[in-house]
Amino acid sequence: MSAYTFTTTTPAGPFTVLAAADHAVLASGWTDDPETLRVLVHPSLRPDRVVPGDGGDIAAAVREYLAGDLTATDRIAVRQASGAFLTHSWDVLRTVPAGDPVTYTRYAELSGRPAAVRAAANACARNAAALFVPCHRVLRTDGSLGGFRWGLPVKRWLLDHEAA
């Protein structure tokens, strides 16, 4: 399977998307190295070949998000594979509204397993499609940032952008 990639400049640094031929996001994040993203894709979906692309509707959605339309990325298809809980949890993350972050405890509740706070945190950690599956909208119970694959300064920038 082949996929395409594009990188755009953001205030938080270079943002790269790896997308399937049908324009579903497979992985994305704050890097300019497509291979960094390719290895995050589940083996059943991982492309063996990656070519440059222009991004089309995905790139437009990222530009609109950066310009202030915080729901622009919601309309972009995402494809990730894992077990039932992780897949469901990633779908749930897409319903957390910009500007209204939740705690890991609340995220576990929304995912249907209130006692599974560590599993909810694991879903965030294993999410390959940053921004489109907004794991940055999940915080620790005390309001601190917790973790983020792309660094806490990027997570802080995203939260501040969405709160503005």
Side-chain angles (χ1 to χ4, degrees):
M1 166 173 51
S2 69
Y4 70 91
T5 185
F6 70 92
T7 301
T8 190
T9 302
T10 77
F15 180 75
T16 299
V17 174
L18 180 68
D22 66 358
H23 310 293
V25 171
L26 300 173
S28 54
W30 279 263
T31 179
D32 58 4
D33 179 15
E35 183 61 16
T36 299
L37 297 176
R38 194 187 74 79
V39 299
L40 297 177
V41 177
H42 189 275
S44 68
L45 300 174
R46 188 174 299 146
D48 51 14
R49 190 169 68 95
V50 177
V51 299
D54 71 5
D57 289 344
I58 300 170
V62 172
R63 285 191 303 273
E64 291 165 18
Y65 171 87
L66 294 170
D69 179 357
L70 303 179
T71 63
T73 57
D74 295 351
R75 68 177 180 267
I76 301 300
V78 173
R79 184 171 304 120
Q80 297 191 84
S82 190
F85 180 72
L86 284 180
T87 303
H88 172 70
S89 295
W90 293 326
D91 290 341
V92 168
L93 263 178
R94 295 198 84 187
T95 70
V96 175
D100 193 17
V102 298
T103 64
Y104 288 101
T105 302
R106 179 67 182 135
Y107 175 43
E109 292 168 355
L110 292 170
S111 296
R113 291 180 53 192
V117 177
R118 286 182 189 242
N122 183 51
C124 287
R126 294 194 42 205
N127 170 35
L131 187 61
F132 301 95
V133 178
C135 51
H136 65 275
R137 295 180 188 158
V138 184
L139 306 172
R140 289 183 174 160
T141 304
D142 67 2
S144 63
L145 295 180
F148 190 59
R149 178 189 314 272
W150 307 107
L152 295 183
V154 174
K155 185 172 185 174
R156 170 70 2 211
W157 184 87
L158 289 164
L159 292 169
D160 290 348
H161 174 66
E162 293 179 354

